[in-house]
Each structure stands twice: as C-alpha cells, then as structure tokens.
Amino acid sequence: MAKQDIDAVTGIATTGHEWDGIKELNNPLPRWWLWTFYACCIWAFGYWIVYPAWPLVSSYTSGVIGYSSRANVRADLAALQQLRGEKAAALAKADLADIEKDPNLLAFARAQGRAAFGDNCAPCHGSGATGSKGYPNLNDDDWIWGGSLEALHQTLQYGIRSGHAQARENQMPAFGKDGTLKKDEIVQVANYIRSLSGQPTRAGVDLAAGKQLFADNCAVCHNEDGKGNQELGAPNLTDRIWLYGGDEASLIETITNSRAGVMPAWVDRLDPVTIKALAVYVHTLGGGR
C-alpha cells in the first residue's frame, strides 16, 4: 500500500509523492468501480467454464455447453442446401445453354450467382462487377478469354495463371526488362498502340517504326490489326477499354515489365452448382456473348 501523508495546508491525504509542486492524492477507488471490477472477474471466470476458452496442446477446452461457431455455420449451410433442394439439383443437371431458356431456373441461378459473386468475386471486380484497374469490367462486351457461357465456366473453374493444370495460361513478355526492346522503341510501340484506338500520340514519335516493331513483336498474339486473340488471352488494343490503363505511361510500364494478373481456380473452393450459377450470373450482366 502506498505511503499516506496528510498535507499540512489542505489536510488532504496524499501518497507523499510530489512533482513540480503537484502532490499525488491518495483517494480510494469509487465503490461502483470496485464492484464493477469484481463482477467482471466473476463473469470472466464463468465464461471460461461455460464457453470454449483455453488453448491446449492440440485442441482447446470445449466448455460446459460445447458451443462452436464453426458447427453453427455448418448447420446453417446444411439448412441452406436443404432449402435449395430441388432447384439446386435441377441446376446441377441442366446444361449451361438450357439454364437461360428456363425462366425459373434462370432466376434461381442468378440469385445464387449474385450471392456467390458478392462473397468471392466482388473484392476484385467490385460489388457491381464494374472492375477497376487490373480487374476486368464484367458488364461490357470486352472479353480477354471469351464471354460465352462455356468460356466463362472454364475461366471460373480453373482460373487464369492460377497454377491449376487446366488454368488459362499466357505470359506477355517483358520487352524492356528482358532487353528485347530499347526505351525509345517502347515509346514508339506504346504510341502506335494508342493510335490504333484513335487516341492522341506524342509529338515527334515515329509511328511507322512503332508499327513495324508491333508487327515484329506483338502481332503474333494481338494480330496484325491489334484486335487481339481470345484463345491466347491477348486483349483487343483497338478499343479504349484498357485493363491496366491506356495512357502512355501505363502502356510503357506494361510493355517494359509485362503484366501477369492471377485469377484463382474456384473448382476446389466452390461446389459445381455454385460455379455454374456464377457463370450464368456473369453472363447475364450485359456483356455475355
């Protein structure tokens, strides 16, 4: 217990400590505070007994009531599966092309797909699927790997550069980093690409040289006309829909260091019915072919 002194002037009890003329009082804690503290200690002790609380070597104490949030989630998911029942079974059996022909099945697939999209896809593509820099907008008609139902289903199942054996794979060379093109050549190619979509180019840049460099290095994937190749995942460069930005600086960065975005494979994370519903949902957003 702290030493208690009585201040000679004020008659107030102090601890005897003083700093710069300020004396530390020795006031007792309020009764309400003490009783609250004691009640919290009793509550905590009871909580340790009733609920899972203490970690053990390879598990934890289960508590008197055996509560488990994981078990509750499993029960909720099982109830949800039972609720979906017949419609989920019908969706599983239906061919992709037939789902959109059945209004009831389409409505169910869209509802399930929308929920799954919000939980799994929205962090990258946005809640409205409008995407952002580096993440495609799924509402337009500009597809890198194809926008048909079958193509979307394939992409969702195995991903892009995900490491899965059946993932969509294609790697754009890092022309500057690898020393394939010089800095001035990259500037020429970048400006020629901007000219393909009618965008302004830097004054004095030799676009004819850029066109030749494009033909020699880029046309093998993007085609001579720059309209891309969905089988290779090579974007259409003649529109103004740019995944990583279409300004000169962004194009130079892309040509210099390449891009290698990764989309996960959902085949091992989501059940087949959910993946099918996701494909239908994305396909009906407005840009599906």
Side-chain angles (χ1 to χ4, degrees):
M1 180 178 290
K3 177 184 177 183
Q4 179 170 301
D5 290 339
I6 303 298
D7 186 87
V9 177
T10 63
I12 299 175
T14 71
T15 63
H17 299 155
E18 181 177 341
W19 296 271
D20 297 331
I22 300 174
K23 296 180 179 180
E24 181 183 3
L25 301 181
N26 192 28
N27 293 336
L29 292 170
R31 285 289 179 184
W32 67 265
W33 191 96
L34 283 173
W35 284 113
T36 301
F37 174 72
Y38 297 148
C40 288
C41 290
I42 295 172
W43 176 268
F45 183 77
Y47 194 97
W48 295 340
I49 297 173
V50 175
Y51 286 92
W54 290 96
L56 303 175
V57 175
S58 59
S59 61
Y60 55 87
T61 57
S62 59
V64 173
I65 64 174
Y67 173 81
S68 170
S69 58
R70 185 179 294 274
N72 287 353
V73 170
R74 283 198 295 265
D76 289 343
L77 289 174
L80 178 62
Q81 292 296 330
Q82 185 176 5
L83 180 65
R84 289 173 173 172
E86 294 181 3
K87 289 186 177 181
L91 187 63
K93 294 178 182 178
D95 292 332
L96 282 169
D98 294 333
I99 294 173
E100 294 185 358
K101 298 176 183 178
D102 186 329
N104 292 328
L105 205 55
L106 174 60
F108 176 75
R110 289 206 66 194
Q112 184 173 348
R114 184 185 299 109
F117 187 93
D119 292 340
N120 301 280
C121 313
C124 291
H125 293 283
S127 58
T130 53
S132 61
K133 190 172 183 179
Y135 302 99
N137 178 1
L138 304 178
N139 292 279
D140 60 26
D141 202 23
D142 192 76
W143 296 95
I144 298 176
W145 292 95
S148 66
L149 260 174
E150 292 74 15
L152 289 172
H153 193 247
Q154 165 79 8
T155 302
L156 282 164
Q157 282 184 301
Y158 307 118
I160 300 169
R161 289 180 285 272
S162 64
H164 193 281
Q166 299 183 58
R168 298 190 182 278
E169 294 285 348
N170 191 15
Q171 182 65 51
M172 174 182 171
F175 291 101
K177 185 178 179 180
D178 296 340
T180 306
L181 296 177
K182 300 176 182 177
K183 289 184 178 181
D184 60 329
E185 293 175 327
I186 292 174
V187 171
Q188 291 170 348
V189 173
N191 279 270
Y192 171 70
I193 292 173
R194 281 176 58 82
S195 73
L196 290 176
S197 57
Q199 298 187 79
T201 58
R202 188 192 301 189
V205 172
D206 188 346
L207 295 181
K211 181 178 181 179
Q212 185 59 51
L213 288 166
F214 182 91
D216 294 341
N217 298 277
C218 314
V220 64
C221 291
H222 293 279
N223 292 329
E224 291 287 345
D225 56 7
K227 291 187 177 180
N229 186 339
Q230 291 182 350
E231 292 184 2
L232 299 176
N236 180 2
L237 304 177
T238 65
D239 58 23
R240 299 194 181 193
I241 303 175
W242 299 93
L243 186 58
Y244 291 97
D247 58 282
E248 185 189 71
S250 296
L251 286 172
I252 289 175
E253 170 68 18
T254 299
I255 297 168
T256 301
N257 297 309
S258 178
R259 305 287 187 178
V262 174
M263 175 182 167
W266 294 103
V267 67
D268 296 324
R269 306 184 186 199
L270 300 175
D271 62 89
V273 173
T274 300
I275 293 176
K276 188 179 287 188
L278 267 172
V280 172
Y281 172 69
V282 173
H283 188 253
T284 58
L285 285 174
R289 294 185 177 182

